[in-house]
Amino acid sequence: MSVSKVECKAVVRGKGEVKFDIFKHLAPVTVSAILRELPINARVTIYPRAMICLLTGIKAGVEKQRFEFTKGDIAFLPANGSLCFFLANAKSQSPLNPIGKLEPDLGVLAGLSAGDTMEIIQLREVSEGAQT
């Protein structure tokens, strides 16, 4: 069986953590590139009431791009190699590759401030058809 979902968490020192899932079928090349780089440590860039971004240095092209995202979506911005966590429904002027979904409670992300550092860690892979 192939791995279709990867469970991850984002840890912010002194503020907590949030779990999320990334899905290979949404953008297989992009997700594979991200998984090869984990764990990722970076400072957050905050776009108030819209999204939190991490500059990763990962290079990947546009793949199954979208311009509109909903609260809880996770996407990759190929233009600068950023992981973007959406805190609200938003439209982008640049195409982003959708890669996953945050758990419903976004409290930790909503409480971030400039200068906070986030670490992205892989927890486990879940194969297609596996019961969790």
Short mmCIF file of all heavy atoms in Angstrom, two decimals, residues 1 10-11 32 39 45-46 50 60 62-63 66 68 71-73 76 79 90 97 103 105 110 112 120:
data_model
loop_
_atom_site.label_atom_id
_atom_site.label_comp_id
_atom_site.label_asym_id
_atom_site.label_seq_id
_atom_site.Cartn_x
_atom_site.Cartn_y
_atom_site.Cartn_z
N MET A 1 0.83 -1.19 0.00
CA MET A 1 0.00 0.00 0.00
C MET A 1 0.87 1.26 0.00
O MET A 1 1.92 1.28 0.62
CB MET A 1 -0.87 0.04 1.25
CG MET A 1 -1.97 -0.96 1.30
SD MET A 1 -2.97 -0.62 2.75
CE MET A 1 -4.18 -1.87 2.49
N ALA A 10 3.26 20.99 14.43
CA ALA A 10 4.03 22.22 14.45
C ALA A 10 4.20 22.61 15.92
O ALA A 10 3.21 22.72 16.65
CB ALA A 10 3.29 23.32 13.69
N VAL A 11 5.45 22.78 16.34
CA VAL A 11 5.75 23.10 17.74
C VAL A 11 6.32 24.51 17.80
O VAL A 11 7.26 24.84 17.08
CB VAL A 11 6.78 22.10 18.32
CG1 VAL A 11 7.10 22.44 19.77
CG2 VAL A 11 6.28 20.67 18.19
N SER A 32 6.44 15.30 -1.28
CA SER A 32 7.67 14.49 -1.17
C SER A 32 8.88 15.37 -0.86
O SER A 32 9.73 15.02 -0.04
CB SER A 32 7.91 13.71 -2.46
OG SER A 32 6.91 12.72 -2.62
N PRO A 39 12.90 17.38 9.94
CA PRO A 39 12.17 18.50 10.54
C PRO A 39 12.62 19.85 9.98
O PRO A 39 13.77 20.01 9.59
CB PRO A 39 12.52 18.39 12.02
CG PRO A 39 13.86 17.74 12.05
CD PRO A 39 13.89 16.81 10.86
N THR A 45 6.31 34.17 9.66
CA THR A 45 5.90 35.45 9.08
C THR A 45 4.39 35.50 9.23
O THR A 45 3.70 34.56 8.84
CB THR A 45 6.28 35.54 7.59
OG1 THR A 45 7.69 35.38 7.46
CG2 THR A 45 5.87 36.87 7.00
N ILE A 46 3.90 36.56 9.82
CA ILE A 46 2.48 36.65 10.14
C ILE A 46 1.78 37.62 9.21
O ILE A 46 2.22 38.76 9.04
CB ILE A 46 2.29 37.10 11.61
CG1 ILE A 46 2.97 36.09 12.53
CG2 ILE A 46 0.82 37.26 11.94
CD1 ILE A 46 3.09 36.54 13.96
N ALA A 50 -5.07 36.28 8.48
CA ALA A 50 -5.10 35.56 7.20
C ALA A 50 -4.30 34.27 7.27
O ALA A 50 -4.85 33.19 7.13
CB ALA A 50 -4.60 36.45 6.07
N ALA A 60 10.21 23.79 -5.26
CA ALA A 60 9.23 22.94 -5.95
C ALA A 60 8.40 23.86 -6.84
O ALA A 60 8.15 25.01 -6.48
CB ALA A 60 8.34 22.20 -4.96
N VAL A 62 4.95 24.85 -9.35
CA VAL A 62 3.51 24.93 -9.17
C VAL A 62 2.91 23.56 -9.51
O VAL A 62 3.25 22.96 -10.52
CB VAL A 62 2.91 26.04 -10.06
CG1 VAL A 62 1.41 26.05 -9.97
CG2 VAL A 62 3.48 27.39 -9.68
N GLU A 63 2.03 23.08 -8.63
CA GLU A 63 1.45 21.75 -8.79
C GLU A 63 0.02 21.77 -8.26
O GLU A 63 -0.20 22.00 -7.08
CB GLU A 63 2.31 20.75 -8.02
CG GLU A 63 1.85 19.33 -8.09
CD GLU A 63 2.75 18.40 -7.28
OE1 GLU A 63 3.48 18.85 -6.38
OE2 GLU A 63 2.69 17.21 -7.56
N ARG A 66 -3.95 26.47 -6.57
CA ARG A 66 -5.22 27.13 -6.27
C ARG A 66 -4.93 28.55 -5.81
O ARG A 66 -3.82 28.86 -5.39
CB ARG A 66 -5.97 26.39 -5.15
CG ARG A 66 -6.55 25.07 -5.58
CD ARG A 66 -7.53 24.44 -4.61
NE ARG A 66 -7.61 25.04 -3.29
CZ ARG A 66 -7.74 24.34 -2.17
NH1 ARG A 66 -7.75 23.03 -2.19
NH2 ARG A 66 -7.83 24.95 -1.00
N GLU A 68 -7.70 30.17 -3.94
CA GLU A 68 -8.63 30.38 -2.82
C GLU A 68 -8.47 29.26 -1.80
O GLU A 68 -8.43 28.08 -2.17
CB GLU A 68 -10.07 30.43 -3.32
CG GLU A 68 -10.36 31.65 -4.18
CD GLU A 68 -11.83 31.76 -4.56
OE1 GLU A 68 -12.69 31.27 -3.81
OE2 GLU A 68 -12.09 32.35 -5.62
N LYS A 71 -10.18 28.43 5.99
CA LYS A 71 -9.58 28.35 7.32
C LYS A 71 -9.15 26.91 7.60
O LYS A 71 -9.93 25.98 7.40
CB LYS A 71 -10.60 28.81 8.36
CG LYS A 71 -10.10 28.77 9.78
CD LYS A 71 -11.17 29.26 10.72
CE LYS A 71 -10.70 29.20 12.15
NZ LYS A 71 -11.74 29.73 13.06
N GLY A 72 -7.90 26.73 8.02
CA GLY A 72 -7.39 25.40 8.33
C GLY A 72 -6.61 24.75 7.20
O GLY A 72 -5.97 23.72 7.40
N ASP A 73 -6.65 25.33 6.01
CA ASP A 73 -5.89 24.77 4.88
C ASP A 73 -4.39 25.02 5.07
O ASP A 73 -3.99 26.01 5.69
CB ASP A 73 -6.32 25.40 3.55
CG ASP A 73 -7.63 24.86 3.03
OD1 ASP A 73 -8.13 23.83 3.55
OD2 ASP A 73 -8.17 25.46 2.08
N PHE A 76 1.64 25.33 -0.04
CA PHE A 76 3.04 25.64 -0.29
C PHE A 76 3.10 26.72 -1.36
O PHE A 76 2.44 26.60 -2.40
CB PHE A 76 3.78 24.38 -0.77
CG PHE A 76 5.22 24.60 -1.08
CD1 PHE A 76 6.17 24.67 -0.06
CD2 PHE A 76 5.65 24.76 -2.39
CE1 PHE A 76 7.51 24.88 -0.34
CE2 PHE A 76 6.99 24.96 -2.68
CZ PHE A 76 7.92 25.03 -1.66
N ALA A 79 6.71 30.32 -5.17
CA ALA A 79 7.45 31.54 -5.49
C ALA A 79 8.61 31.79 -4.54
O ALA A 79 9.66 32.28 -4.95
CB ALA A 79 6.50 32.74 -5.49
N ALA A 90 -9.19 32.90 2.56
CA ALA A 90 -8.37 33.92 1.91
C ALA A 90 -8.20 33.63 0.43
O ALA A 90 -8.28 32.48 0.00
CB ALA A 90 -6.99 33.97 2.58
N ASN A 97 0.27 25.60 -3.87
CA ASN A 97 -0.03 24.17 -3.98
C ASN A 97 -0.71 23.73 -2.68
O ASN A 97 -0.08 23.80 -1.62
CB ASN A 97 1.26 23.36 -4.15
CG ASN A 97 2.08 23.79 -5.34
OD1 ASN A 97 1.61 24.49 -6.24
ND2 ASN A 97 3.32 23.36 -5.38
N GLU A 103 -5.73 20.71 12.28
CA GLU A 103 -6.80 20.28 13.17
C GLU A 103 -7.66 21.50 13.47
O GLU A 103 -7.21 22.65 13.32
CB GLU A 103 -6.23 19.65 14.45
CG GLU A 103 -5.48 20.59 15.35
CD GLU A 103 -4.94 19.89 16.60
OE1 GLU A 103 -4.86 18.66 16.66
OE2 GLU A 103 -4.59 20.62 17.52
N ASP A 105 -8.69 23.19 16.08
CA ASP A 105 -8.29 24.21 17.05
C ASP A 105 -7.02 24.92 16.58
O ASP A 105 -5.94 24.35 16.61
CB ASP A 105 -8.06 23.58 18.43
CG ASP A 105 -7.67 24.61 19.48
OD1 ASP A 105 -7.85 25.82 19.24
OD2 ASP A 105 -7.15 24.20 20.53
N ALA A 110 -3.02 31.18 16.14
CA ALA A 110 -3.60 32.51 16.24
C ALA A 110 -2.86 33.37 17.26
O ALA A 110 -2.87 34.59 17.17
CB ALA A 110 -5.08 32.41 16.60
N LEU A 112 0.46 33.44 17.76
CA LEU A 112 1.86 33.66 17.42
C LEU A 112 2.16 35.15 17.26
O LEU A 112 1.28 35.94 16.92
CB LEU A 112 2.23 32.94 16.12
CG LEU A 112 2.19 31.42 16.17
CD1 LEU A 112 2.56 30.84 14.81
CD2 LEU A 112 3.12 30.88 17.24
N ILE A 120 8.50 22.03 12.40
CA ILE A 120 7.57 21.08 11.79
C ILE A 120 8.18 19.69 11.91
O ILE A 120 9.31 19.46 11.46
CB ILE A 120 7.31 21.40 10.30
CG1 ILE A 120 6.86 22.86 10.13
CG2 ILE A 120 6.32 20.43 9.70
CD1 ILE A 120 5.55 23.20 10.76
#
